[in-house]
């Protein structure tokens, strides 16, 4: 078995039990059920306990785990049995069958569905349309048969009230190409009467619930099932048509309209329907025909017999219809080869009720026949395998129920023969007389008794009960109704009536109705004889196939999940003969396995066989393994299999294997992880080699492309400015960025080396301004020449340039500065909101604020080292705010330039930034349209407002904020 089922789940095969007793059997069954293991083997027989809940045991993944596996390679499962039957059919071209048995509610129908689903899933890989059609019919026919053949009982909400045997035909490739269904002993008496709490067949309620209102009106029906005796829960023996006797002594129908409804629905004349209900036609000697009126009791009997017969014929028609759709089409054995068959038998199990009648007698006789076949086939399989493997066969003692089968079906003296004789005897033969005849014939039979033969047994009634000691236990039968149910008589008038129906479907159901009333025919076979013949044919059919068995057990009577009633299950284990099965299986050797499979499972327990043996054969390796464990005395060696006598030997081997498996798993994990690591390492090395060579190729290709494109880069005056750089691979992007930077520096060098030294200061200032203002200010005057000292220029300051020159000489002598960085007239505003024209002088030592009207007198001098930054706007205005450490911020607007409103802010920023860079310190340049400033601790804002009517720039103060009014015209 697979290791996922440990000892805590019990024994997966009852053959491995230490003691074969009912207590040990039930203990193992209960333990597995509590652990969610509803399946257990007895050799190749599967025991299934209905869980009454959905379990994650089915579906495509589970099917894949069992497909193609041996029976013992996976935990017990229905799929394993279905797979074994399918493989035996496909490999050896042998017909196989799966026999599913158990009492009502044990899960037989569900088991058959899972088997069908497995077969449908593993066949037809090529998706042939005809095969898909057959599979579709196989799966969907179950629903139709359940509607007409299943009913709710006190034991099961969906109880099959008929036996079903389905043959599935397969072609040489193992694909289903057809099928055929046989039905057995439909419980047609349920049409008339159900026990309290039970219901009629599902079809009646489905019609009332599922039909449209218009359809119900056409059928003369109403939706409430309580209106009809057939569909009222626990209804008694009566139909909706009732009979009354008139004062003249004649018989009539209570409601004539109901007769009309029947006539309309059966497409027959109303007067003929009424005649069949009230009288019957009898042929006397001389071909004379007379009408014999019914009594009220006879009319009720005839009505009920007709109702049962109509439903039975309808059910048979449904089965035949499915068979006609499912039958193999266009198969020629000479062309297509012989078809093989898998049969699936879903049939009622042994039944014991408080009152057991003719139906239970037939069902239990069927189970006796199947049990007889079961034991015979198991023994036959065992004997054949022993002979095939060269093992001496030992006679197995077991209970042979042939004497019970003989009690029922023996010619002339068997119970069915006596019953047939009672039915055929002229005169009034009662059920009591039938029982007396049985007592006479079988008074000395060890498996038969009655109250007459055993007067002290008060569990039986005089003149009513007899008891049979079945293989599964004693069952007491009541003979009341045996004769009527066996006769199963239906007057010929009804057959002729329905045969002459205008409905072709209904007419096809009654071919025996064409017989003339005066025609002399054989007496029809009784229900018991027909059932016996069908059982004989069924057993013969099963005996010709290789059988597989599923024994279903119902855990409790209340249909409750996760509860196992031990007493109820003991009874089922007994009547299913499971203990007998275990004893037969263990009579010789408890287990047998092919040598390769045995070695595959246990070779790690022996040093001579692990990891692979070097002996002459697998048999020799198995022998060495067993000798090392000291178990060679408990086995026998076949031609291809090892036979193990005691379950303890398997337990010893399993325990030894279980101890070693964790060590082996660790070893395998270590080896596998090492292998994976080596594979990964080799792959990585290969990847890195490929990457290295590919990178080399890309680098070479990229460098070649760069060389091609930049061959003309040295040619002036552009020096490669218009060249487009090729897109580099991602890995070369840093390299290309470096190359681009180097190229830019080289190109700059080529351009700069042609610039006169006198212009280098201006170039550096412009570069500094670009770094500070690029993409932050719209225009910063990079395209114009920067004079820097505008107050000394006669062009920009024609009236006072000489005066400024004198002041400049004085300041140079006083402060010792070397160069003027910038000078210009400005408009300033102070913290008192006073606006004045002033001059701004920026040297390499100080920042001066001068008064032009007083010969450029110095009003304020700030060391240039104290200047920390300046702020400008993003527009074309000339607003500048200078920030100095420990000083009020200076707010000015450059003006009185030539040409007017010339853009000199970028020049001021550039020369000051370039000077600071030369000194190795940073200058903070802010660009904002709303500039914050600090004057004597007060925080203010200054902004720019463009005004077309403004002639000259000027400041305006409002609510503590400054606004530069800038001419925008």
């Amino acid at each position: 078995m697979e290791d996922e089922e440990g000892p805590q789940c019990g024994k997966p095969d009852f053959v491995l039990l230490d003691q074969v007793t009912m207590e040990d059997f039930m203990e193992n069954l209960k333990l597995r059920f509590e652990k969610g293991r509803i399946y257990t083997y007895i050799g190749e027989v599967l025991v299934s306990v209905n869980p009454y809940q959905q379990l994650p045991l089915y579906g495509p993944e589970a099917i894949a785990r069992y497909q193609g596996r041996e029976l013992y390679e996976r935990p017990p499962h229905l799929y394993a049995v279905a797979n074994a039957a399918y493989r035996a059919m496909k490999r050896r071209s042998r017909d196989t069958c799966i026999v599913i048995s158990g009492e009502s509610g044990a899960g037989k129908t569900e088991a058959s569905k899972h088997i069908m689903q497995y077969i449908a899933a593993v066949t037809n890989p090529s998706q042939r349309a005809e095969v898909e059609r057959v599979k579709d019919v196989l799966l969907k026919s179950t629903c139709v048969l359940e509607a007409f053949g299943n009913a709710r009982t006190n034991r099961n909400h969906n109880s099959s009230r008929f036996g079903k045997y389905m043959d599935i035909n397969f072609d040489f490739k193992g694909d289903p190409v057809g099928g055929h269904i046989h039905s057995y002993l439909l419980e047609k008496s349920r049409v008339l009467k159900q026990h309290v709490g039970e219901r009629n067949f599902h079809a009646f309620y489905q019609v009332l619930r599922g039909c449209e209102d218009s359809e119900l009106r056409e059928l003369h029906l109403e939706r409430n099932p309580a209106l009809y005796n057939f569909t009222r829960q626990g209804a008694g023996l009566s139909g909706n048509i009732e009979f009354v006797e008139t004062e003249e002594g004649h018989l009539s129908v209570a409601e004539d309209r109901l007769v009309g409804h029947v006539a309309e629905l059966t497409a027959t004349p109303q007067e003929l329907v009424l005649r069949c209900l009230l009288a019957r036609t009898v042929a006397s000697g001389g071909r004379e025909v007379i009408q014999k009126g019914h009594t009220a009791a006879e009319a009720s009997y005839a009505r009920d017999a007709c109702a049962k017969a109509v439903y039975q014929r309808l059910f048979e028609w449904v089965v035949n219809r499915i068979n006609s759709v499912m039958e193999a089409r266009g198969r020629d054995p000479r062309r297509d080869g012989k078809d093989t068959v898998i049969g699936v038998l879903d049939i009622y199990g042994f039944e014991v009720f408080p009152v057991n009648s003719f139906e239970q007698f037939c069902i239990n006789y069927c189970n006796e026949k199947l049990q007889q076949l079961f034991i015979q086939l198991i023994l036959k399989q065992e004997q054949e395998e022993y002979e095939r493997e060269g093992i001496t066969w030992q006679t197995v003692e077991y209970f042979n129920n042939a004497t019970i089968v003989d009690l029922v079906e023996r010619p002339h003296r068997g119970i069915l023969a006596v019953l047939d004789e009672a039915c055929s005897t002229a005169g009034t033969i009662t059920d009591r007389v039938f029982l007396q005849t049985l007592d006479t014939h079988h008074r000395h039979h060890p498996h038969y008794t009655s109250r007459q033969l055993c007067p002290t047994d008060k569990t039986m009634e005089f003149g009513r009960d007899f008891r049979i000691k079945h293989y599964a236990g004693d069952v007491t039968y009541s003979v009341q109704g045996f004769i009527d149910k066996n006769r199963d008589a239906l007057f010929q008038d009804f057959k002729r009536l329905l045969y002459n129906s205008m409905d072709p479907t209904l007419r096809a159901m009654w071919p025996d109705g064409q017989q003339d009333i005066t025609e002399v025919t054989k007496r029809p076979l009784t229900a018991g004889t027909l059932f016996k013949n069908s059982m004989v044919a069924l057993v013969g059919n099963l005996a010709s196939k290789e059988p597989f068995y599923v024994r279903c057990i119902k855990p409790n009577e209340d249909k409750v999940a996760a509860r196992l009633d031990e007493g109820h299950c003991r009874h089922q284990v007994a009547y299913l003969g499971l203990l007998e099965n275990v004893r037969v299986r263990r009579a010789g050797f408890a287990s047998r396995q092919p040598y390769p499979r045995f070695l595959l499972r246990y070779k790690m327990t022996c040093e001579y066989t692990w990891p692979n043996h070097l002996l002459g054969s697998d048999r020799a390796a198995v022998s060495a393994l067993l000798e090392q464990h000291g178990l060679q005395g408990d086995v026998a060696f076949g031609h291809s299999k090892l036979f193990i006598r005691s379950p303890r030997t398997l337990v010893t081997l399993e325990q030894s294997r279980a101890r070693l498996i964790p060590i082996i798993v660790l070893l395998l994990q270590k080896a596998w992880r090492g292998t994976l690591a080596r594979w990964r390492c080799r792959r990585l090395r290969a990847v890195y080699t490929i990457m290295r060579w590919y990178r080399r190729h890309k680098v070479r290709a990229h460098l070649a492309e760069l060389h091609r494109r930049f061959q003309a880069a040295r040619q002036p005056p552009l020096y490669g400015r218009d060249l487009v750089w090729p897109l580099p691979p991602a890995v070369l992007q840093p390299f290309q960025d470096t190359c681009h930077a180097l190229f830019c520096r080289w190109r700059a060098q080529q351009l700069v080396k042609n610039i006169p030294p006198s212009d280098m200061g201006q170039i550096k200032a412009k570069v500094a301004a670009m770094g500070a203002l690029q993409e932050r200010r719209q225009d910063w005057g990079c395209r114009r020449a920067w004079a820097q000292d505008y107050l000394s220029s006669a062009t920009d300051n024609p009236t006072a340039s000489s005066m400024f020159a004198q002041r400049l000489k004085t300041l140079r002598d006083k402060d010792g500065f070397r160069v003027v960085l910038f000078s210009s007239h400005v408009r300033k505003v102070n913290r008192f909101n006073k606006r004045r024209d002033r001059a701004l002088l920026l040297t390499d030592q100080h920042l001066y604020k001068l008064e032009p009207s007083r010969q450029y007198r110095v009003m304020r001098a700030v060391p240039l080292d104290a200047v920390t930054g300046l702020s400008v706007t993003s527009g074309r205005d000339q607003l500048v705010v200078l920030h100095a450490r420990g000083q009020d911020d200076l707010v000015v607007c450059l003006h009185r330039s030539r040409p007017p409103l010339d853009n000199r802010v970028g020049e001021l920023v550039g020369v000051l930034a370039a000077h600071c860079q030369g000194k190795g310190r940073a200058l903070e340049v802010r660009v904002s349209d709303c500039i914050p400033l600090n004057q004597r601790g007060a925080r203010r804002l200054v902004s720019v407002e463009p005004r077309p009517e403004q002639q000259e720039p000027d400041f305006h103060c409002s609510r503590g904020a400054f606004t530069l009014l800038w001419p925008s015209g």
Side-chain angles (χ1 to χ4, degrees):
M1 308 298 169
E2 200 175 54
D3 289 333
E4 66 185 60
E5 287 205 352
Q8 71 276 7
C9 298
K11 300 285 196 305
D13 194 329
F14 286 111
V15 173
L16 302 179
L17 291 175
D18 295 330
Q19 301 291 330
V20 186
T21 64
M22 179 62 79
E23 288 71 24
D24 290 333
F25 190 98
M26 290 304 305
E27 181 182 354
N28 190 61
L29 185 73
K30 186 175 182 180
L31 175 61
R32 290 185 62 77
F33 183 76
E34 290 172 350
K35 296 295 184 179
R37 270 51 177 189
I38 62 172
Y39 298 120
T40 312
Y41 288 134
I42 303 178
E44 294 184 348
V45 176
L46 183 71
V47 178
S48 169
V49 183
N50 193 340
Y52 286 122
Q53 61 179 324
Q54 294 292 330
L55 295 178
L57 301 177
Y58 313 100
E61 292 183 3
I63 289 173
R65 291 180 61 238
Y66 283 89
Q67 186 175 357
R69 297 286 185 170
E70 295 293 340
L71 199 66
Y72 46 81
E73 286 188 75
R74 291 283 185 260
H77 200 289
L78 273 170
Y79 290 162
V81 175
N83 178 67
Y86 180 73
R87 281 160 60 88
M89 178 275 298
K90 189 174 181 181
R91 279 183 176 180
R92 301 193 292 270
S93 296
R94 288 196 59 180
D95 293 345
T96 60
C97 64
I98 302 174
V99 180
I100 308 171
S101 60
E103 73 171 39
S104 179
K108 300 186 299 296
T109 301
E110 287 300 313
S112 66
K113 289 180 184 177
H114 289 308
I115 289 171
M116 293 295 182
Q117 288 168 357
Y118 179 87
I119 293 174
V122 301
T123 55
N124 195 29
S126 58
Q127 296 293 309
R128 287 187 293 163
E130 177 63 17
V131 176
E132 286 299 308
R133 183 191 68 81
V134 173
K135 286 164 55 175
D136 191 55
V137 175
L138 284 172
L139 295 176
K140 293 182 178 178
S141 63
T142 303
C143 302
V144 179
L145 293 176
E146 285 184 3
F148 287 93
N150 287 27
R152 176 177 178 173
T153 67
N154 292 324
R155 292 188 166 193
N156 185 4
H157 292 326
N158 188 34
S159 176
S160 297
R161 308 316 300 162
F162 70 104
K164 179 180 71 175
Y165 175 76
M166 176 183 290
D167 268 334
I168 309 172
N169 297 81
F170 295 84
D171 62 12
F172 71 97
K173 292 188 290 187
D175 291 332
V177 293
H180 191 85
I181 296 173
H182 300 270
S183 63
Y184 301 98
L185 197 65
L186 176 70
E187 189 190 22
K188 58 184 178 182
S189 61
R190 179 168 293 273
V191 173
L192 306 177
K193 178 178 174 60
Q194 308 96 42
H195 294 292
V196 176
E198 296 190 353
R199 301 205 314 177
N200 213 323
F201 294 102
H202 295 328
F204 290 101
Y205 307 94
Q206 290 170 348
V207 167
L208 295 180
R209 184 177 180 85
C211 285
E212 300 289 342
D213 291 338
S214 58
E215 294 175 316
L216 289 177
R217 285 193 296 270
E218 291 177 3
L219 297 173
H220 303 290
L221 295 174
E222 296 185 32
R223 204 169 293 280
N224 184 9
L227 298 176
Y228 306 99
N229 292 326
F230 286 176
T231 54
R232 189 183 302 131
Q233 281 199 355
L237 277 169
S238 60
N240 278 32
I241 292 181
E242 303 291 344
F243 302 99
V244 295
E245 291 188 1
T246 63
E247 296 179 356
E248 295 81 9
H250 299 297
L251 191 67
S252 64
V253 175
E255 295 184 71
D256 289 337
R257 66 181 183 85
L258 297 181
V259 178
H261 294 168
V262 172
E264 179 183 343
L265 295 174
T266 58
T268 55
Q270 181 173 347
E271 61 275 10
L272 292 182
V273 175
L274 184 61
R275 185 189 306 169
C276 291
L277 289 170
L278 300 179
R280 66 189 179 103
T281 305
V282 179
S284 61
R287 302 179 65 85
E288 184 179 353
V289 177
I290 60 174
Q291 289 284 335
K292 181 183 178 182
H294 289 318
T295 64
E298 291 173 340
S300 297
Y301 176 85
R303 174 203 61 203
D304 294 342
C306 180
K308 293 190 294 182
V310 167
Y311 195 81
Q312 182 179 20
R313 298 286 178 105
L314 172 63
F315 183 77
E316 291 172 352
W317 180 86
V318 170
V319 172
N320 293 333
R321 182 69 174 172
I322 293 174
N323 286 336
S324 67
V325 175
M326 195 166 48
E327 68 181 0
R329 299 178 178 177
R331 302 289 296 169
D332 186 353
R334 293 172 298 179
R335 180 192 64 205
D336 304 314
K338 177 183 176 294
D339 289 349
T340 48
V341 171
I342 293 180
V344 180
L345 178 63
D346 172 11
I347 203 162
Y348 18 65
F350 201 83
E351 290 190 350
V352 183
F353 297 136
V355 178
N356 301 287
S357 187
F358 179 74
E359 291 85 2
Q360 282 70 48
F361 173 77
C362 292
I363 288 172
N364 293 342
Y365 159 64
C366 167
N367 278 270
E368 288 286 356
K369 292 285 289 184
L370 292 177
Q371 177 68 9
Q372 182 185 32
L373 174 68
F374 173 65
I375 296 296
Q376 290 174 351
L377 290 179
I378 289 294
L379 288 175
K380 181 182 178 183
Q381 283 180 328
E382 291 284 294
Q383 187 172 2
E384 287 179 351
E385 185 171 26
Y386 278 43
E387 293 174 353
R388 189 166 56 246
E389 293 293 326
I391 305 295
T392 303
W393 171 254
Q394 298 176 353
T395 303
V396 178
E397 296 294 332
Y398 68 96
F399 171 69
N400 191 342
N401 65 339
T403 180
I404 303 175
V405 175
D406 187 64
L407 170 66
V408 176
E409 65 180 19
R410 180 182 176 186
H412 307 301
R413 294 177 60 87
I415 295 176
L416 287 177
V418 174
L419 183 59
D420 284 352
E421 184 179 354
C423 291
S424 62
T425 302
T428 303
I429 300 297
T430 63
D431 294 324
R432 180 184 287 267
V433 173
F434 161 64
L435 179 58
Q436 292 172 354
T437 308
L438 288 181
D439 291 341
T440 302
H441 286 304
H442 304 295
R443 64 174 53 249
H444 301 298
H445 198 286
H447 293 275
Y448 175 88
T449 187
S450 68
R451 184 66 183 275
Q452 180 69 30
L453 301 178
C454 187
T456 59
D457 188 350
K458 295 184 179 180
T459 59
M460 296 182 288
E461 289 190 15
F462 277 110
R464 191 195 74 174
D465 296 341
F466 69 92
R467 180 176 298 152
I468 297 179
K469 296 180 180 179
H470 290 281
Y471 77 93
D474 296 352
V475 181
T476 301
Y477 298 99
S478 169
V479 297
Q480 290 180 354
F482 257 59
I483 293 178
D484 283 342
K485 291 178 180 179
N486 189 48
R487 282 198 182 111
D488 196 24
L490 178 65
F491 296 138
Q492 188 70 20
D493 300 71
F494 287 105
K495 297 178 183 179
R496 287 195 298 271
L497 173 71
L498 296 173
Y499 174 74
N500 291 303
S501 167
M502 300 302 293
D503 187 327
T505 302
L506 192 60
R507 178 186 178 93
M509 296 181 193
W510 299 88
D512 47 347
Q514 61 183 329
Q515 178 183 328
D516 189 80
I517 187 60
T518 59
E519 184 178 343
V520 179
T521 59
K522 291 183 179 180
R523 184 182 299 275
L525 296 178
T526 61
T529 300
L530 289 172
F531 185 71
K532 181 189 74 172
N533 295 342
S534 65
M535 285 299 101
V536 172
L538 174 62
V539 168
N541 189 2
L542 296 178
S544 66
K545 295 178 171 59
E546 182 176 342
F548 296 85
Y549 293 92
V550 179
R551 302 302 211 191
C552 298
I553 292 178
K554 183 178 181 180
N556 59 75
E557 283 286 357
D558 301 321
K559 301 177 279 293
V560 177
R563 195 183 84 193
L564 189 140
D565 184 346
E566 192 167 340
H568 185 66
C569 291
R570 278 175 179 263
H571 179 64
Q572 297 175 77
V573 169
Y575 73 60
L576 286 171
L578 299 184
L579 279 180
E580 193 76 16
N581 186 8
V582 177
R583 292 191 183 100
V584 169
R585 182 74 181 183
R586 284 174 53 127
F589 295 91
S591 176
R592 67 288 319 263
Q593 295 186 30
Y595 295 127
R597 292 285 180 182
F598 183 86
L599 281 175
L600 189 63
R601 186 164 185 81
Y602 300 114
K603 64 181 180 178
M604 71 287 298
T605 65
C606 175
E607 59 183 320
Y608 301 112
T609 57
W610 178 256
N612 293 301
H613 70 84
L614 300 176
L615 302 176
S617 64
D618 287 346
R619 175 174 175 172
V622 170
S623 178
L625 187 152
L626 293 170
E627 286 180 8
Q628 180 167 326
H629 287 279
L631 301 173
Q632 65 273 21
D634 195 43
V635 299
F637 293 91
H639 297 313
S640 63
K641 291 183 179 180
L642 174 70
F643 288 73
I644 302 173
R645 181 173 288 103
S646 169
R648 291 187 179 276
T649 298
L650 277 179
V651 172
T652 301
L653 291 170
E654 284 293 331
Q655 290 174 347
S656 178
R657 179 178 183 271
R659 287 193 300 268
L660 292 171
I661 283 297
I663 301 172
I664 295 173
V665 167
L666 290 176
L667 177 65
L668 293 176
Q669 287 178 342
K670 176 183 176 182
W672 179 242
R673 286 170 181 165
T675 300
L676 290 179
R678 286 188 290 274
W679 285 354
R680 185 171 183 271
C681 182
R682 284 197 291 268
R683 284 197 300 268
L684 287 176
R685 285 176 179 172
V687 168
Y688 289 148
T689 300
I690 294 172
M691 289 172 60
R692 184 168 62 251
W693 283 98
Y694 181 72
R695 285 174 178 171
R696 289 178 180 177
H697 165 72
K698 295 295 288 185
V699 167
R700 289 171 180 169
H702 187 65
L703 291 177
E705 180 65 16
L706 283 176
H707 182 265
R708 186 187 66 81
R709 292 193 183 191
F710 284 85
Q711 282 181 343
R714 289 188 173 90
Q715 297 179 3
L718 298 179
Y719 293 103
R721 186 186 69 181
D722 56 345
L723 295 178
V724 178
W725 286 73
L727 183 66
V731 70
L732 291 180
Q733 186 64 54
F735 170 76
Q736 177 126 326
D737 294 340
T738 303
C739 290
H740 190 269
L742 291 174
F743 173 75
C744 291
R745 295 185 65 180
W746 173 82
R747 183 171 177 273
Q749 183 181 12
Q750 299 303 313
L751 295 174
V752 166
K753 72 181 181 181
N754 296 321
I755 299 175
S758 59
D759 293 341
M760 286 304 298
Q762 184 179 158
I763 294 298
K764 291 181 179 179
K766 286 187 176 182
V767 170
M770 182 176 68
L773 301 178
Q774 185 74 17
E775 298 182 355
R776 299 173 69 188
R777 182 177 171 89
Q778 296 177 5
D779 184 13
W780 48 274
C782 67
R783 297 185 180 278
R784 49 177 286 275
W786 289 0
Q788 298 181 345
D789 186 6
Y790 291 99
L791 295 181
S792 298
S793 171
T795 303
D796 207 75
N797 189 14
T799 60
S801 59
S802 58
M803 189 185 301
F804 176 75
Q806 292 177 2
R807 178 61 61 184
L808 195 63
K809 182 177 181 302
T810 303
L811 290 176
R812 180 179 285 112
D813 294 340
K814 175 184 177 183
D815 296 333
F817 65 84
R818 294 189 303 274
V819 64
V820 175
L821 299 180
F822 185 81
S823 67
S824 176
H825 288 109
V826 297
R827 183 76 170 172
K828 71 98 181 180
V829 62
N830 62 13
R831 56 192 172 91
F832 302 110
N833 303 332
K834 293 182 178 180
R835 306 180 297 279
R836 297 287 187 272
D837 286 336
R838 295 287 186 262
L840 185 69
L841 172 61
L842 186 65
T843 69
D844 58 349
Q845 298 289 332
H846 289 84
L847 169 66
Y848 299 99
K849 182 175 72 172
L850 309 176
E851 185 175 5
S853 62
R854 295 186 179 184
Q855 300 176 354
Y856 293 98
R857 180 175 64 88
V858 177
M859 300 183 68
R860 180 180 176 186
V862 179
L864 198 58
D865 292 342
V867 177
T868 60
L870 72 162
S871 300
V872 299
T873 67
S874 62
R876 292 182 55 86
D877 58 88
Q878 299 298 296
L879 176 65
V880 178
V881 178
L882 293 161
H883 309 285
R885 189 183 313 109
Q887 303 284 335
D888 287 348
D889 291 341
L890 180 61
V891 184
V892 299
C893 174
L894 307 180
H895 80 138
R896 291 171 58 184
S897 59
R898 297 290 183 273
L901 305 180
D902 193 18
N903 193 347
R904 296 177 181 175
V905 167
E907 185 175 353
L908 174 59
V909 172
V911 296
L912 184 57
H915 176 77
C916 290
Q917 290 175 1
K919 294 294 183 178
R921 67 184 183 92
L923 178 72
E924 183 180 6
V925 179
R926 302 175 190 167
V927 179
S928 174
D929 291 333
C930 187
I931 301 173
L933 56 95
N934 186 7
Q935 291 183 334
R936 297 295 174 92
R939 302 287 293 177
R940 292 190 175 187
L941 297 175
V942 59
S943 59
V944 178
E945 180 182 338
R947 285 192 176 182
E949 70 277 7
Q950 188 78 20
Q951 297 298 321
E952 293 289 334
D954 199 2
F955 289 98
H956 173 72
C957 181
S958 176
R959 297 180 182 178
F962 298 131
T963 302
L964 173 63
L965 305 178
W966 180 256
S968 62

